[in-house]
Amino acid sequence: MLKINNLTVFYENAIALNDLSLEIGKGEVVGVFGSNSAGKTTLMNTVAGLTLHMKHREQRKGGERITIIGELNFEGENIIDTKPSYRVKKGIVLCRERHPVFRDCSVQENLKLGGYLRKDSNLGESIEFVYKLFPNLKRLSLKKAGMLSGGEQEMLTIGMALVAQPKLILMDEPLLGLSPLMQEEVVRAVREISKQGVTILLSEQYARPIMPIVDRGYVIENGTQIVSGTGEELMDNPEVKAAYFGM
Amino acid sequence: MSQDLILKVSNLAKNFGGVKAVNDVSFELQEGEALGVIGPNGSGKSTLINLITGFVKPSGGRIIYRGENITGLPPYKIVSLGIARSFQMAKPFYNIPVFKNLIIPLYSSRARKLKGGAYGDRDEAAIHFLEDVGFERDSQVPYKAAGALPHGYLKRLELARCLTLEPDLIILDELFSGMSMSEIASILPLLAKIREEGKTLIMVEHRLRELFRVVDKAIVLNFGGKIAEGTSGEVMDNEEVRKAYLGSEVLSGA
Amino acid sequence: MKKKAITFKFLALAILFLLMVTGCGSNDEASIDDVSTIVLGVPTALGSIEGADSLKAVELAVEEINNAGGVSVDGEKRPLEVVSIDTREHEPGLPVHDALAALEKMIVEKKPDAIVVGSFRSEVLLSAMDLIAKYKIPYICTIAMTPDFQKKVSESADYKYMFRMGLNSPYLVNYLSDTMAFINQKFDFNKVYIVTQDVLWAKGTGTGLEKWFQANGWDVVGFDSYPTGASDFSSTLGNARAGNAQVIVPIFDMPQSGILLKQARAMQVPALMAGFISPAASDSAWQTFEGEVEGLVNLVFEIGPIPLQAVPKSVEFNANYGKKYGEETLAKLSGHGPGPAYDSIYVLADAIERAGTLESEALVTALEGTDMDGVIGKIKFTNDHQVIYGLDPKETAIGAVFQWKTPGVRVPVFPEVAAEGEIELPPYIK
Amino acid sequence: MIETVLIYGLVNSVTLILTAIGFSLTFGLSGIANFSHGGLYILSGYSAWMMMHYIGLPFALAAVLTVIQVGILGGLIYRAVIMPVRGIVLSEVVATFAVGVAILEFFRWRGFVTYDFNLPLFIKGSIGIAGVFIDYQRLFIIGIGLMLAVILWFFTHHTRIGLALRGMAQDEYTALSLGIESDWAATLSMALGAALAAVAAIIILPLGIISINMGYDVLLLALAVTILGGLESTNGLIVGCFILGYARVITGTYLGPEWMEVIYLAAIVLVLVVKPSGLCGKSKELEERV
Amino acid sequence: MKKGYRKERLDRGIKARTDDIFAICSPREIAYIALPRFIVIGALLMFPLLAVLTGIYWQNVLIITCTIALLALSWDLLASAGLVSLGQALFFGAGAYVTGFLSHHYGWPPILSVPAATVTGALLCTMLLYPVLRLRGIYFGLITFAMPLLMMRIVEATKILGGTEGLSGLAPLPGMKVELYVIITVTLVCVFGFRRLIDTDYGLVLRAIRDNDRAVMAGGINIQWYKTQAVFIAALPATFAGAFLTHHYQFVGMPAFALEYSILPLTSVIIGGTGSFAGAMLGAFILVPLSEVLRAFGTLRVVIYCLILLVFAIGLPEGIFHYIQRKYYQFERLVPVEEIKK
């Protein structure tokens, strides 16, 4: 579905992604694991097109600060030079890290915004689906999103992406900063979404809770992929295990 | 280990526009102890720290530090009494070299008092403190711009910033968040060393396994209120804590 | 993309550099002074209506004199030349130094033999006096109105180069108080409300007027001053209504005073407006205000912008001005400035001819002895270098009070010598 | 007396709302402090006047055309001036301020300084309410001002585009990742703000005469009430306008108009000393809770 | 740009070597560091001696330029401590009025009243701003914006200090040459002094307050106190400028709080580049003479001025000084991406 070939990203002279290649098949749940500053967020942002947006903005201010080289092959089309909105239309939606929701809008409004690019009028159905997935949100639907707890905001973030009816959801550290209870809830939701046939690419640095549902995983360090394999394979790799999955 | 009371928090409360961020929280801390503060997101952990360190003025309650009422004092006075804190999001001063980041606390009145009023070589002292938390003096790292540091080092820098003030009570806000296992593993001995020096520790954490390798007891917050207090086992077995926070995952052997 | 950005940057730098160079260059060109012309400097706020009109009046006078052969200095006929510079004084937030820099630039680069029109704002005039004392150039100002000008002139001989042809605020008080006495006599009104702009000249005039009212048995219902730019006058109008004021004396030269006029009609305040509102002074105001100025009694500071049969020269001035600049421009002529600005050229020409030199000391002495008929009436200076204003154009210079009447005409009603109609109560006063 | 204060206080407050709402909206939606607001306001006045006098259009048509035209101009200003420096706040301020001053001074250069420029009233005449006379134009101001506030509220809360604009204001990158285009949203917000400035000009300017210096005053007023009310808060703007509007009329009536400005500026200083993030800006405090 | 290549910015070799002061050995390296500074100092000190060439008018312009440069420097120092001021006119006016008061009522000569006004004015401003120092960003900006307007209105409404008329005929300064040298020296001292100050540990604390005040508070530093000091230090050059120009024109009045004294320094710094002080000065030295040059355009002047301002603000958002500095210190080159990937 998505094939990333030799993706390289520079911030000024610093290299954030170094010749990274990975593949995501339809319906898979793929995990990208690595410590902070390993390049996970850059990868996610680059796939979603945000890095390109940042690059353009920096360029206008003068100075060639961000360089993106490589190929992003989504359903047979190279999307490396396309705008974020185009990618959303194609079906790639990103849930950014630290669940940044629209704080001053109500939960309901947030979800509506998720369906911003949808032309059909079945927004209500999708929102109902999200409410079914996260019953908590329904209860809070008129509350301002900024008043929600971190876990609820993460649910909302995922919910917004779902309303956009994506083919591929990118989740950047969905479990970061959540309590164990909330982590469980999110993992459950991811499994549920995957069952609907949506492809999922998620990144996480603390992989233990998410491992059971990941079909395939990549471990990256300093922008380069060092190990890849199925969930079990990764779990069995002693080096990786020590570093990323807890003792 | 002496058993003097170092911090006594009683009935602490804070409202933000009608929201009770911290509600009637009390606890005591003996000299040399280490306390964990856990709870779901938004349960008021960070606010609690902000209240103790003076970043937020409480709506009610008292904070006694070594017999002195420090409720509502400005942060710099609280620091000068010997309480230092770290931030959850380590935001260094990006454009200046790493060691220069420590000049700020070294410039404070507390650091100057400790040095007996002497000016001293601050740069040298800064490097010294960086070494303490695992930076290598002879590598390029301490002289590079702080913005280029990898996350793990940022957290170490954050810790170094606290230690520079030579505090008696250290409050660490989610030190482990965003660190990899190996990074945490390398920082644990450091925390152990700090405890050996007899310093008191308060840690806000989500990473319970790692937390309980450092602290003796913990309090659990939910919706701003304290729902449990005790050793790791006591906390873990508490039914209310499980319901509100832990879920079904069993964290044995911590 | 990148290339374009770089060229763009260099282009910007190049433009800047070019401007710097040409700026310094034009510096030298200007100093090539044609010996045969007499240079008159006009440093004023050219972006203001008073400044722009005064410059036009000056140019008209210069054209007339040059057509007649120029001014004879020491037997030699020399033409006049006008140089002007914009001081932007009328703009709020402009520091005094900027206006003074403009004045100094003109003096240093254009080397004028005399300066006319001059400062727009009182404080600029006062601080410009020190500059003029340094450069010793005869200076006839016609816009700024502060009485402190005369105080300074009489206090020190350093300031003897400065003269004023325009009205000052004490004279303004006199005119207004005389008008009020006239109104009192005519309609037996004695309840008055003063409302002024919060600037030096207007407030000073208001205070002077208040004293006169109190001394003459009037009941001053209220005295308000509005900051320049105020756009709501309901509090004054409400108070005036509640206090049953019969006359409202507005003293304003800001455009927003038009709001006062309209708002007074809208709030149906049954009082006669008599004072000075600059937007209502020109001939085109009836049209602008769609007739809402009816009944307003307004002062023209110095005649010139309004033709007065009693002063033949003012009629002539209006005709010539209309010929040169068009009737439409004539209709917009401001109520303060153009008359004396026009006359000051003739006064200067006269003084130069009498002195027979352009040397400033002699010129100042000659100016002090001025006695001639002009657009504004008889022109004579006092000891403190102020033209005397009075009620008879044969004796002194004169300002005129007119009333707006249907179908949109300005009828001079005061002073009585110059009156061409009767003052009447507008229909909205019962 | 008290009736005058009540009614004209309302007029003043709503006038303030109208003058500031364009500025505040743009700021709230895209974080752009549009310092050309005053310039656009005066430009609208002159543009409508020119359409009426040079082309001979009826006022209603000229007004509509002006609003559209100034709206488009606002969008263009974003594209040409703000986009290249987007994100550098001070550069944005300086650039838009330069545009505004250039517009104003251009008119001054073209000689638009005489007292002949004014727009006609919608309906002439006045009406007595509780013994206080008020003209229809001012009633229009109250009516249209309040109507605009309601329309804008509806627009930003219940339409797709309005929601998208608000979303963009709160978190740009999240909005981007949902397919909302940031430059498009900002252009739209600038255009809206500019159009609102034009609407304000067309309703308020008929009260008096159009003058260039008013452009600077309008900008100052807009800036003051927006910050006083708390940035990006429409409720705050309205509360701020009412406080300042009534403060002005009350001081004007009971203390003398010369104190109007002093009280008004002092009110701003006082409010900010007591409440550093403006009257309705409490989001900052909440952030610390997490 | 060529595919597979990227642009890289690298320090020039000479820059890398001269970064450490002890490494300098060759005249070329000394010149590399010192020349830009000496050219500026030299040019400024030479200016008054060239009276024949420049004419009295341009000398006058230089005085105004230095005045604005001082205000801009003051702005930049405040901004370095995170205080974005929109009201430099407050400082200017305070200095101007204090010296005006001393000179007018007590007849102090400028040599006494200017220094006294500099210090007293700065103290007064610090006291005025003390209660609002906890405000940040645009809120502090608005307060400072309102302050000079408020002062102006207070002078107007209460009629103290000459009211709307102001105080005129104050004692003059001893002559153009002395004036020029005094103000040039003060400007240079401020530029280089501030540049040095901001590099010390003290300056570091100020900059840190701007970047992350919470971290500084956690570092045990009383930021309120440091901000107060910053305001006082920053106010000094501005109050001096006010006092100096007051005696230069022998007049002080309400326009001392004029908006332009707030806007010009701000635009100067934006055009020149923030944070470097040299940028602030450069900006003033471009904008003020530019404005004078444009007088030739009469009433069109401001329009052209604004358009040029716009070109600079958009074309070089980082500021002219930073742009020049970057070109001086760094070069750019295209490198194939493969080469850097190790």
Side-chain angles (χ1 to χ4, degrees), chain E residues 38-86:
Chain E
F38 279 110
I39 288 176
V40 171
I41 297 174
L44 275 179
L45 291 181
M46 282 299 285
F47 194 90
L49 301 177
L50 301 173
V52 196
L53 267 176
T54 53
I56 192 163
Y57 170 66
W58 282 100
Q59 297 193 335
N60 209 7
V61 172
L62 182 70
I63 289 189
I64 295 169
T65 310
C66 285
T67 311
I68 299 299
L70 283 172
L71 287 172
L73 286 171
S74 146
W75 188 94
D76 214 5
L77 188 68
L78 275 181
S80 299
L83 299 164
V84 176
S85 146
L86 293 176

Side-chain angles (χ1 to χ4, degrees), chain B residues 232-247:
Chain B
S232 65
E234 285 167 21
V235 169
M236 288 296 155
D237 292 338
N238 187 311
E239 193 52 38
E240 204 177 344
V241 175
R242 284 183 168 276
K243 226 170 83 192
Y245 181 57
L246 293 174

Side-chain angles (χ1 to χ4, degrees), chain C residues 384-403:
Chain C
D384 46 13
H385 292 186
Q386 165 70 40
V387 161
I388 307 162
Y389 279 80
L391 298 176
D392 185 354
K394 294 198 175 52
E395 300 290 323
T396 59
I398 184 176
V401 177
F402 68 85
Q403 187 174 31

Side-chain angles (χ1 to χ4, degrees), chain A residues 34-37 98-99 147 149-151 173 176-184 205-206 208-209 241-247, chain B residues 19 39-42 88-89 150-151 174 177-183 206-210 213 242-249:
Chain A
S35 59
N36 253 316
S37 69
R98 295 187 188 280
H99 38 77
M147 309 284 276
S149 76
E173 308 213 18
L176 182 65
L178 300 191
S179 66
L181 190 65
M182 280 298 166
Q183 291 187 351
E184 234 175 88
Q205 51 162 321
Y206 182 60
R208 190 186 183 84
K241 197 175 164 189
Y244 299 104
F245 302 111
M247 290 132 260
Chain B
V19 181
N41 278 72
Q88 182 181 344
M89 302 275 218
H151 187 81
E174 299 203 18
S177 83
M179 290 174 104
S180 70
M181 281 301 163
S182 46
E183 282 169 335
H206 273 310
R207 309 280 281 262
L208 301 188
R209 291 162 175 277
E210 294 78 15
R213 292 166 67 112
R242 284 183 168 276
K243 226 170 83 192
Y245 181 57
L246 293 174
S248 60
E249 192 188 356

Side-chain angles (χ1 to χ4, degrees), chain A residues 48 50 53-54 57 60-62 83-86 88-89 92-96 100-106 109-110 112-119 144 146-150 153 157 160-161 164, chain D residues 78-79 82-88 156-184 186 232 235 283 286-290:
Chain A
L50 298 187
H53 177 85
M54 274 190 258
R57 176 156 295 174
R60 275 185 218 144
K61 288 183 202 163
K83 280 195 282 191
S85 60
Y86 178 80
V88 176
K89 259 181 233 159
I92 304 178
V93 180
L94 166 71
C95 307
R96 294 172 58 218
V101 291
F102 302 118
R103 307 179 64 87
D104 290 338
C105 291
S106 69
E109 286 171 334
N110 266 284
K112 273 190 196 164
L113 270 172
Y116 172 73
L117 277 181
R118 279 178 58 179
K119 293 278 184 287
K144 280 203 173 155
M147 309 284 276
L148 266 50
S149 76
Q153 288 185 357
T157 311
M160 281 153 75
Chain D
Y78 177 79
R79 289 274 155 181
I82 303 172
M83 215 157 85
V85 290
R86 190 74 212 276
I88 314 173
T156 49
H157 284 77
H158 293 282
T159 62
R160 197 176 73 106
I161 295 175
L163 269 178
L165 287 176
R166 273 174 67 210
M168 188 52 82
Q170 292 165 40
D171 197 309
E172 191 185 346
Y173 282 95
T174 303
L176 274 170
S177 66
L178 292 173
I180 305 167
E181 285 183 34
S182 99
D183 281 332
W184 175 84
E232 74 241 7
N235 300 342
S283 56
L286 274 174
E287 263 167 36
E288 291 172 356
R289 190 167 69 94
V290 183

Side-chain angles (χ1 to χ4, degrees), chain B residues 195-212:
Chain B
R195 286 208 60 191
E196 270 166 31
E197 284 168 10
K199 296 191 195 289
T200 318
L201 209 57
I202 296 180
M203 291 181 78
V204 170
E205 270 310 328
H206 273 310
R207 309 280 281 262
L208 301 188
R209 291 162 175 277
E210 294 78 15
L211 174 69
F212 284 121

Side-chain angles (χ1 to χ4, degrees), chain C residues 50-122:
Chain C
E50 285 87 357
D53 284 353
S54 294
L55 179 62
K56 284 202 184 97
V58 166
E59 277 165 352
L60 175 66
V62 165
E63 189 181 285
E64 285 170 7
I65 290 177
N66 285 351
N67 285 346
V71 181
S72 71
V73 186
D74 227 1
E76 180 198 357
K77 281 273 188 190
R78 291 168 62 176
L80 296 173
E81 183 197 342
V82 180
V83 291
S84 65
I85 194 161
D86 184 14
T87 57
R88 296 176 58 213
E89 282 164 66
H90 61 304
E91 290 182 35
L94 186 99
V96 170
H97 83 72
D98 199 79
L100 294 182
L103 175 61
E104 196 161 10
K105 179 183 167 77
M106 157 173 274
I107 292 174
V108 171
E109 291 182 357
K110 306 286 168 76
K111 306 208 165 38
D113 297 298
I115 290 170
V116 290
V117 183
S119 291
F120 182 92
R121 268 188 352 212
S122 293

Side-chain angles (χ1 to χ4, degrees), chain B residues 24-139:
Chain B
D24 204 18
V25 170
S26 311
F27 63 90
E28 286 179 6
L29 197 56
Q30 308 293 333
E31 189 110 39
E33 261 185 330
L35 174 78
V37 179
I38 55 182
N41 278 72
S43 60
K45 301 188 297 292
S46 289
T47 307
L48 181 64
I49 289 185
N50 284 339
L51 287 170
I52 296 173
T53 50
F55 281 79
V56 170
K57 289 225 169 3
S59 325
R62 278 154 67 87
I63 308 162
I64 312 285
Y65 174 74
R66 289 195 166 149
E68 194 178 336
N69 186 359
I70 59 164
T71 323
L73 285 184
Y76 73 95
K77 283 206 179 134
I78 290 177
V79 169
S80 68
L81 291 171
I83 303 179
R85 68 166 292 182
S86 77
F87 287 97
Q88 182 181 344
M89 302 275 218
K91 277 196 213 140
F93 307 110
Y94 286 104
N95 300 321
I96 56 180
V98 173
F99 76 95
K100 285 274 184 193
N101 268 272
L102 297 187
I103 299 294
I104 313 294
L106 282 172
Y107 209 81
S108 67
S109 51
R110 176 174 176 84
R112 284 198 243 190
K113 217 186 294 163
L114 291 172
K115 297 267 174 307
Y119 186 86
D121 187 348
R122 282 196 205 96
D123 292 358
E124 180 54 42
I127 303 269
H128 174 73
F129 278 109
L130 279 179
E131 269 185 318
D132 280 357
V133 296
F135 284 82
E136 279 170 47
R137 173 190 285 265
D138 296 325
S139 69

